Amino acid sequence: MNLLQNKQISISNSGQWSIEKSIYNGTVCLSKEDNFLIHDHSTYIYPYCDSILNLNPSSVLILGLGLSLLPNYYVTYSDVVDVIEKDIDLINLITGNSFNETSINIINDDAFTYTTDKTYDLIISDIHWFIDGNYTNEISLLRDKYNLNLNDGGKIFFYLTKELFDKY
């Protein structure tokens, strides 16, 4: 199943980013500088996110926009979906495409420096670091930074490592 299968997709470019259809399975792909990064097939999303897809949060903060699969998924279940993305070319590409829901609030900022007083039921870190290594320090830093932005009973999820943490 393609998560964007019923949406109108515009094949487009913005800066180093592009959206295109995969020649292999017809899924929608997001790439940067000709490097394949993300596609909308459920086998790509569900194995990583199975622990959060059954949650029904009323408010979600997502760190990292990507192809906007998670924001578009949660906008149908949540009253508030905010996304922090630092790459303006990626923001322009996604917001200029008709599949992106307009009720998603995309904030052009860096997740490591952004501050807000808003609180959320679920915070998802969907940041992909494109270097090999151990991300314990970055995860710890983001977890500590955004813990105060979790509602009571809220959770923070790290896509890269599939770790789900309760508010502490």
Side-chain angles (χ1 to χ4, degrees):
M1 176 180 83
N2 300 351
L3 300 177
L4 298 175
Q5 65 187 353
N6 296 324
K7 305 276 185 166
Q8 181 65 35
I9 306 299
S10 299
I11 307 307
S12 53
N13 297 302
S14 178
Q16 301 171 344
W17 293 95
S18 65
I19 293 178
E20 54 200 50
K21 290 270 189 174
S22 169
I23 59 172
Y24 301 108
N25 58 11
T27 60
V28 178
C29 302
L30 175 67
S31 59
K32 183 175 185 181
E33 298 175 331
D34 297 325
N35 291 317
F36 167 76
L37 298 176
I38 302 167
H39 65 87
D40 74 326
H41 199 273
S42 60
T43 57
Y44 181 81
I45 300 297
Y46 294 134
Y48 292 93
C49 297
D50 59 347
S51 62
I52 61 168
L53 292 179
N54 63 347
L55 301 176
N56 293 312
S58 63
S59 56
V60 180
L61 173 65
I62 301 173
L63 314 178
L65 179 60
L67 190 53
S68 78
L69 297 177
L70 289 172
N72 275 283
Y73 175 83
Y74 278 108
V75 78
T76 59
Y77 302 101
S78 306
D79 298 326
V80 174
V81 178
D82 292 341
V83 179
I84 302 169
E85 174 57 56
K86 68 179 183 178
D87 190 320
I88 192 65
D89 286 333
L90 181 58
I91 293 170
N92 290 338
L93 180 67
I94 298 300
T95 58
N97 213 303
S98 58
F99 67 82
N100 192 63
E101 294 290 337
T102 57
S103 58
I104 297 169
N105 179 35
I106 301 174
I107 302 157
N108 182 210
D109 212 322
D110 188 319
F112 287 93
T113 58
Y114 176 76
T115 58
T116 183
D117 293 331
K118 290 175 78 172
T119 58
Y120 301 88
D121 296 331
L122 178 63
I123 297 175
I124 302 169
S125 176
D126 193 14
I127 297 172
H128 294 271
W129 295 282
F130 296 106
I131 55 173
D132 291 332
N134 181 331
Y135 305 109
T136 304
N137 290 339
E138 289 86 354
I139 289 171
S140 179
L141 187 139
L142 288 172
R143 186 176 176 210
D144 289 345
K145 177 177 179 43
Y146 287 101
N147 186 65
L148 295 174
N149 298 103
L150 286 172
N151 290 326
D152 289 339
K155 297 185 181 301
I156 187 166
F157 176 75
F158 291 91
Y159 182 89
L160 189 66
T161 59
K162 298 194 263 185
E163 294 176 283
L164 181 63
F165 298 100
D166 291 321
K167 180 179 181 172
Y168 56 86

